[in-house]
Amino acid sequence: MVYKFRVILDIEEDIFRDIAILEDDTLEDLHNAIVNAFDFDGQEMASFYTCDDKWNQEEEIALFDTGDNPGEQKIMSDYPLYTILNKENTKIIYVYDFLNMWTFLVELAAIEDISAGETYPATLFSHGLMPAEAGDKNYEAEMTEGIYDEFEDDLDEDDLDLFDENEGGYEDHSYDDY
């Protein structure tokens, strides 16, 4: 199966990427896909954080084991996506570069069959340009509805609709659509 994610940079501007990746790929593979989709150099530390439906941070899963006791810290390469994310648990937080704290809200938008001839992971859609700096963070869960509510004033309804009503699956966008 293919997992399709919307990865939103946690700042006021509308900056997000839609990424498709195989369910058997690891969190490390998703990390690499996010790094590539947002044009980072990949030289910084990063972590995923499990969270609840309101984006309250829970357990850390780091890129590398940096703990005092080797093997105690959870690391990305040990977790296939399907073990962390599924239809019931669709949200995870991603932080890249702990000096700048680039923070992303990552939400599983769809689970679909593998398309023949497609290469995964893949960036399906890109919206917005990355700022020069990560910006200040509040670190409190403020969203009570969906993560897309704050974007509704600035985007067309088609930008927010990840699901094609006719097919019941993820709506594939291309750069030519906009």
Side-chain angles (χ1 to χ4, degrees):
M1 300 301 287
V2 175
Y3 277 16
K4 294 188 176 180
F5 292 96
R6 176 151 287 175
V7 182
I8 301 173
L9 179 60
D10 189 19
I11 61 172
E12 288 188 28
E13 291 84 23
D14 301 333
I15 301 169
F16 62 87
R17 307 292 184 261
D18 292 343
I19 296 173
I21 188 168
L22 298 174
E23 70 176 337
D24 292 338
D25 285 341
T26 65
L27 285 173
E28 183 176 12
D29 297 321
L30 181 58
H31 152 78
N32 290 328
I34 294 170
V35 164
N36 291 331
F38 285 92
D39 294 323
F40 289 121
D41 63 13
Q43 300 299 310
E44 303 296 333
M45 288 295 298
S47 287
F48 281 101
Y49 296 88
T50 59
C51 61
D52 63 18
D53 284 341
K54 295 185 182 187
W55 299 101
N56 293 308
Q57 181 177 312
E58 296 171 346
E59 286 188 89
E60 178 182 16
I61 304 172
L63 181 58
F64 300 108
D65 187 346
T66 58
D68 293 334
N69 298 319
E72 281 188 356
Q73 188 171 13
K74 293 181 175 183
I75 60 171
M76 294 179 198
S77 61
D78 290 342
Y79 291 91
L81 294 174
Y82 70 87
T83 65
I84 301 291
L85 298 156
N86 53 50
K87 290 180 182 180
E88 289 77 38
N89 298 312
T90 61
K91 298 176 181 180
I92 196 164
I93 298 168
Y94 173 72
V95 177
Y96 177 81
D97 184 356
F98 293 111
L99 290 177
N100 292 302
M101 297 298 289
W102 293 98
T103 303
F104 298 86
L105 307 175
V106 181
E107 186 164 15
L108 179 60
I111 301 173
E112 297 181 355
D113 291 328
I114 296 173
S115 297
E118 293 294 321
T119 302
Y120 301 102
T123 301
L124 303 174
F125 181 73
S126 179
H127 179 82
L129 300 175
M130 290 294 290
E133 296 180 4
D136 295 329
K137 299 288 182 274
N138 187 348
Y139 298 111
E140 293 181 19
E142 295 178 4
M143 295 179 238
T144 57
E145 299 296 322
I147 64 173
Y148 310 117
D149 292 348
E150 68 183 88
F151 301 115
E152 287 182 3
D153 293 336
D154 299 326
L155 299 174
D156 294 334
E157 190 64 30
D158 290 338
D159 290 334
L160 299 173
D161 185 13
L162 294 178
F163 298 94
D164 183 355
E165 294 174 10
N166 297 328
E167 297 178 22
Y170 192 91
E171 183 178 351
D172 189 15
H173 291 283
S174 70
Y175 293 104
D176 298 331
D177 291 342
Y178 295 92

